[in-house]
Amino acid sequence: MVDDFEAMRRVIVNQLRQLGAEKILTAVDGKAALRILTSQHVDMVLSDWNMPVMSGLELLKTMREDSKLFTLPFIMITAEAERTHIEEAIACGVTSMILKPYSPSQLMVRVEKALAWKPGRAPGAKAATTAPKRLDKKPDDQSVAPQKPTILIVDDTTDNLVLLSGLLKTEYRVRLAQNGAKTVEICTSDDPPDLVLLDIMMPGMDGFEVAKHLREHPTSENIPVIFVTAMTSSDARLKGLDLGAVDFITKPVDPDALKHRVRNFMRYVQLRKNLQAEYDGMVEMAQLKEDVAHITRHDMKGPLAGVLGLLHALIEDDSVGRKQLEQLKLVEETALQVLNMINLSGELFKIETGRFELHAVPVPIADILRRIAEINRTAYAGKDIHISVDTDVPVGDEVPQSLGDAMLCYSLLPNILKSACEAAPDSSKITVKLYDQSPLRIVIENQGAVPADIRSRFFEKYSTSGKSGGTGFGNYSAKLLTEAQNGTITLAVSDENNTTAITLTLPRASSAV
């Protein structure tokens, strides 16, 4: 449990203990939490958003970039209601979010869901040695029809309670309290009210003290409070506003004004509830998207790699006729397109979020270059483009291999060569050269200079120029896929020669013994 306010930590720890949690560790900020996470076993993190030193969002980002902490459920507890903030947390991999105010039962539901959350495991990350203990209480039945909004009316005078409850009971569920202690007990319970009408002048704990106690508890800190009082001084009003009151209603009460004001603040309450439901749906959709990408990666990439291997063998078979060879090449091109989509929807998401881990193996990069060149010759036959591939290796010598991921190369290189073919003028030449160096160097050059206005942002996302329907995603993905294999990619443009050259470097695999 991470929060910079000690009172909040104590309250939430107590809530978690009541829900059945056995061992709870606490930290005052994200940096302190990371020290705990790297030294002790933890099953789940609950964190406030706004904290000094390291915020909850910064803690979340750091965890999602660490293969050992990547799978830990992370619940963000926050009063942040801006959609852009919520979207940022979801993009960073938050498991669940709780908007303040919330009840222990709402916390229970999200803790149960978070414990059941099973993300795609980060490469190299180990599963927990023991399964986390499930809490011993069950979440509320979500199928029960929602109750009317609840108003708590607080006044030490019985006649005032009867009057106010009579005005509001037809529209709302009304609860009553005659002292401050009972008010705090109700507001911090499992069933807090949605709005409090609070008298100020009461024996024992007055309304100001009640408001102060409410603001110190996570269950009640954001419950709207309207002071209903005979006090009219500006000092009293300022003190009430400083304690978080949303309005003042002066006694004797105007029934119509009271109803209108209460109705207005109930709209705010309903808006907060709708936001929580909307953000729950956004988190669930993001997790579903990740699950689908994970299934796609693991269940489709293997068979596709096998299909490409078989196609490559058939294409190299001299007994295959010319017509069949053309059909096989079309099938190969289609399979590569599907593989490219899989990589872009799966691996790029992991690379962007810092979750990708490379398992490098020797890759026959020269073979891949030749196959892709052949596919593009067929695809752009109408432009009469000549594509040459030079591996810079004497006949009979061993062709060097890169050290990386073949599937990433099958997505990376088609993007670059396709862009070159699209940019090259008709009846021009594209050269693909593989230099036998360490690291390996690949240069793809075409006629036609990249426009000056996009050169500085050529590899940025959504950067495009002059392409009908272009997304500007190909060059960006090429950069990510290259760097994920510990390589580099650069752009060189010659206005004098009217050429564009993309240069890649990839680690060179050791020669076979």
Side-chain angles (χ1 to χ4, degrees):
M1 174 58 222
V2 191
D3 198 299
D4 55 321
F5 288 106
E6 183 181 359
M8 290 295 182
R9 292 198 304 274
R10 287 202 308 265
V11 168
I12 297 175
V13 165
N14 184 57
Q15 288 178 337
L16 292 170
R17 287 204 175 106
Q18 291 177 356
L19 296 176
E22 296 178 0
K23 184 179 180 182
I24 305 167
L25 306 172
T26 62
V28 297
D29 55 53
K31 193 171 183 180
L34 282 177
R35 288 196 292 268
I36 294 175
L37 291 168
T38 55
S39 62
Q40 300 191 52
H41 172 74
V42 172
D43 294 309
M44 178 185 299
V45 175
L46 291 88
S47 176
D48 188 32
W49 186 305
N50 294 313
M51 296 180 291
V53 183
M54 178 183 281
S55 69
L57 185 64
E58 292 169 330
L59 172 61
L60 173 62
K61 289 179 179 179
T62 303
M63 289 174 56
R64 293 304 184 239
E65 292 171 358
D66 188 320
S67 61
K68 294 181 179 178
L69 304 177
F70 161 73
T71 58
L72 271 184
F74 190 109
I75 299 178
M76 190 81 80
I77 301 176
T78 179
E80 293 283 352
E82 290 188 28
R83 187 182 182 89
T84 54
H85 290 172
I86 304 302
E87 289 173 343
E88 185 176 9
I90 291 172
C92 291
V94 74
T95 312
S96 184
M97 299 197 67
I98 305 180
L99 288 180
K100 300 176 182 178
Y102 65 90
S103 66
S105 61
Q106 292 173 319
L107 176 64
M108 177 67 193
V109 169
R110 282 154 186 82
V111 168
E112 286 284 352
K113 287 183 177 180
L115 285 173
W117 179 63
K118 295 180 180 179
R121 189 177 303 162
K126 296 181 179 179
T129 53
T130 57
K133 292 181 178 294
R134 294 184 64 80
L135 304 186
D136 55 10
K137 293 185 180 181
K138 297 298 179 185
D140 295 342
D141 184 358
Q142 300 299 303
S143 65
V144 177
Q147 294 179 321
K148 293 179 180 180
T150 302
I151 296 177
L152 174 63
I153 303 173
V154 185
D155 200 299
D156 60 317
T157 303
T158 302
D159 289 344
N160 289 337
L161 292 177
V162 172
L163 171 65
L164 295 176
S165 63
L167 293 173
L168 300 171
K169 65 182 180 181
T170 56
E171 291 185 61
Y172 309 103
R173 177 185 173 217
V174 176
R175 302 182 68 180
L176 306 176
Q178 287 189 286
N179 58 68
K182 185 63 176 178
T183 303
V184 173
E185 178 186 339
I186 293 173
C187 289
T188 58
S189 69
D190 287 1
D191 185 25
D194 296 303
L195 176 68
V196 178
L197 300 182
L198 180 60
D199 187 24
I200 293 179
M201 294 182 291
M202 297 185 295
M205 187 187 301
D206 66 18
F208 292 137
E209 291 178 89
V210 171
K212 183 175 183 296
H213 280 290
L214 297 187
R215 296 300 170 245
E216 293 174 349
H217 196 286
T219 302
S220 58
E221 65 171 328
N222 291 102
I223 297 175
V225 173
I226 297 177
F227 280 119
V228 182
T229 178
M231 298 179 66
T232 59
S233 70
S234 59
D235 289 343
R237 182 177 291 271
L238 288 173
K239 185 175 181 179
L241 292 174
D242 187 54
L243 289 169
V246 296
D247 200 0
F248 273 77
I249 294 178
T250 304
K251 294 180 180 178
V253 173
D254 179 337
D256 290 334
L258 173 69
K259 289 181 179 180
H260 283 298
R261 290 185 179 185
V262 168
R263 197 173 291 127
N264 286 339
F265 283 108
M266 279 304 182
R267 291 193 186 102
Y268 161 80
V269 169
Q270 189 58 48
L271 175 62
R272 297 286 297 190
K273 290 181 178 180
N274 292 343
L275 281 175
Q276 179 69 72
E278 180 183 357
Y279 295 154
D280 285 346
M282 290 168 63
V283 171
E284 289 177 5
M285 285 299 295
Q287 292 171 355
L288 176 61
K289 177 183 176 182
E290 185 175 348
D291 289 342
V292 170
H294 179 72
I295 292 169
T296 301
R297 278 195 306 274
H298 290 276
D299 292 355
M300 293 184 68
K301 281 176 63 177
L304 269 176
V307 168
L308 286 168
L310 290 172
L311 286 170
H312 191 192
L314 288 170
I315 290 169
E316 296 296 325
D317 190 341
D318 293 337
S319 65
V320 176
R322 184 178 60 82
K323 186 175 181 180
Q324 288 77 18
L325 183 62
E326 292 177 356
Q327 291 174 336
L328 287 171
K329 288 178 180 179
L330 288 175
V331 175
E332 182 186 34
E333 180 183 1
T334 303
L336 282 172
Q337 290 174 349
V338 174
L339 181 61
N340 189 38
M341 287 187 289
I342 291 172
N343 281 332
L344 292 179
S345 64
E347 300 306 296
L348 281 178
F349 178 74
K350 290 169 63 177
I351 293 169
E352 284 187 308
T353 55
R355 304 177 187 181
F356 178 79
E357 185 171 316
L358 177 67
H359 298 280
V361 297
V363 177
I365 197 73
D367 290 345
I368 294 176
L369 286 171
R370 281 192 288 265
R371 296 299 321 126
I372 293 171
E374 183 62 30
I375 289 170
N376 279 275
R377 288 189 192 104
T378 303
Y380 291 92
K383 293 185 68 172
D384 190 28
I385 294 175
H386 176 71
I387 304 174
S388 65
V389 179
D390 182 0
T391 59
D392 190 33
V393 177
V395 176
D397 286 6
E398 182 181 357
V399 178
Q401 294 184 314
S402 66
L403 188 64
D405 186 307
M407 296 299 101
L408 296 190
C409 290
Y410 268 119
S411 293
L412 155 69
L413 296 170
N415 278 335
I416 300 173
L417 194 52
K418 179 184 177 184
S419 295
C421 290
E422 290 175 344
D426 293 356
S427 303
S428 62
K429 182 178 180 180
I430 296 175
T431 60
V432 180
K433 293 185 179 181
L434 171 63
Y435 291 91
D436 187 6
Q437 302 171 348
S438 185
L440 292 178
R441 186 161 60 96
I442 302 167
V443 180
I444 299 176
E445 185 177 72
N446 63 274
Q447 292 181 358
V450 170
D453 62 325
I454 68 164
R455 294 175 190 176
S456 62
R457 51 188 178 89
F458 186 76
F459 294 109
E460 293 180 7
K461 189 184 288 189
Y462 311 128
S463 178
T464 185
S465 176
K467 287 186 185 179
S468 177
T471 64
F473 199 75
N475 296 327
Y476 169 75
S477 66
K479 182 176 186 292
L480 289 189
L481 295 173
T482 302
E483 293 177 348
Q485 299 180 83
N486 301 315
T488 64
I489 184 169
T490 56
L491 169 72
V493 181
S494 172
D495 290 317
E496 181 180 355
N497 298 323
N498 190 31
T499 58
T500 297
I502 303 293
T503 300
L504 296 92
T505 66
L506 293 171
R508 191 182 194 281
S510 300
S511 300
V513 180

